[in-house]
Amino acid sequence: MSPEFFQVHRDLDREGPGSAATTRRALAACGPLPDKPRVIDFGCGPGQPTVTLANALPGAAVVGVDLHRPFLDQLEKRAAAANVSDRVTAWHGSMLDHPGPADLIWSEGAAYSVGVEKALRRWHAIASPDARLAFSELVWLTADVPTDLRAMLEAEYPALGDVETTRKRTAAAGWYVIHDFILPASDWSNYYDPIRARVATLRAQPCSPALTAALDESIAEADIYDRYGQYYGYVFVIARKEVP
Ligand SMILES: C[S@@+](CC[C@H](N)C(=O)[O-])C[C@H]1O[C@@H](n2cnc3c(N)ncnc32)[C@H](O)[C@@H]1O
């Protein structure tokens, strides 16, 4: 992560599309959990989902895992502000290295960074026997994707598939899919509106060429969603380890 990227992203609430309401909706679809579930949020970023889970599951011990230490500092601050520090732990390292175990495996918009299939197989290995999994993943929403958009997004994420591809990848890693839903458009504004505001603030000051490039890139990404948002989105997949 470049220093300029972090200048844009520092102290944002989220690092990808989503919302506390969507986290709670996915949690409700998980069904019953143990009274004191062990929860791991992989690629937790600044921890909005992590703390939402701690609030929603009063007996849970929740671990947020991320490679980027400053995001974990934000998670710790957020947990303190929500009075859940005693049940929320930051774990600095790769989502492929945490040894588990977990009764609930969570990950919003992060599995792609190591390869979704690899992440799903690893999490299956560290999940407790009756564990639940909930993760969100970028997908094509229609088959008639404009060629220029397909080229742009597949340059960033060559394995980008549709909802059915994601269901199949989940099942191939050993998980039994119980539910999925598409994140609402408001979850995208929830991510891009603060970025647009941050870019405007930073542009009002003298910017290095590297920062200007990072600002341009952030706005270009948000503009692509405004123009083409009907063609792609995030699916939230909820699955269990055991076939019911
Ligand atoms: C798109 S952000 C999503 C953050 C958060 N889940 C959210 O929704 O706000 C992806 C996160 O994954 C983290 N990440 C990337 N590769 C990782 C890895 N190998 N292990 C752990 N975290 C990783 C990044 O630092 C970043 O915080």
Side-chain angles (χ1 to χ4, degrees):
M1 188 174 300
S2 72
E4 291 78 20
F5 177 91
F6 191 56
Q7 252 183 293
V8 180
H9 286 254
R10 173 186 296 128
D11 292 334
L12 294 180
D13 254 6
R14 299 193 54 93
E15 279 300 311
S19 62
T22 290
T23 298
R24 287 192 290 266
R25 179 177 171 191
L27 179 62
C30 288
L33 292 167
D35 285 347
K36 296 188 173 183
R38 295 158 296 183
V39 182
I40 306 180
D41 181 7
F42 287 106
C44 63
Q48 188 184 73
T50 331
V51 170
T52 299
L53 292 169
N55 279 325
L57 297 166
V62 187
V63 179
V65 171
D66 207 281
L67 273 185
H68 190 57
R69 182 66 236 184
F71 286 156
L72 296 175
D73 296 340
Q74 273 180 258
L75 164 65
E76 285 170 344
K77 276 191 211 152
R78 189 190 293 265
N83 284 320
V84 290
S85 292
D86 54 331
R87 296 187 293 108
V88 172
T89 311
W91 197 89
H92 188 202
S94 170
M95 61 178 91
L96 296 175
D97 290 340
H98 193 287
D103 304 305
L104 175 61
I105 288 179
W106 207 269
S107 187
E108 298 196 17
Y112 81 97
S113 46
V114 293
V116 67
E117 286 147 312
K118 199 171 182 181
L120 293 173
R121 281 196 304 272
R122 168 67 190 165
W123 298 341
H124 193 270
I126 63 155
S128 67
D130 194 29
R132 302 296 197 271
L133 161 76
F135 73 102
S136 64
E137 166 81 347
L138 193 70
V139 287
W140 294 122
L141 296 178
T142 65
D144 60 338
V145 177
T147 316
D148 57 339
L149 175 67
R150 186 176 289 280
M152 274 188 286
L153 293 200
E154 290 184 351
E156 295 298 316
Y157 187 22
L160 184 52
D162 59 10
V163 172
E164 190 51 31
T165 310
T166 307
R167 289 184 193 127
K168 283 185 180 151
R169 287 173 177 161
T170 310
W175 295 95
Y176 178 84
V177 175
I178 47 181
H179 187 58
D180 54 62
F181 64 90
I182 300 297
L183 271 63
S186 54
D187 281 5
W188 287 77
S189 355
N190 209 18
Y191 174 52
Y192 283 134
D193 288 356
I195 288 183
R196 286 187 187 281
R198 174 65 53 81
V199 168
T201 306
L202 291 170
R203 279 208 207 281
Q205 303 156 15
C207 297
S208 67
L211 180 57
T212 301
L215 300 179
D216 290 348
E217 204 176 306
S218 298
I219 292 300
E221 189 192 311
D223 286 348
I224 290 172
Y225 182 74
D226 280 353
R227 182 165 170 211
Y228 291 119
Q230 73 269 37
Y231 297 107
Y232 63 101
Y234 271 91
V235 63
F236 225 122
V237 176
I238 295 92
R240 55 189 295 175
K241 186 163 176 172
E242 301 287 345
V243 177

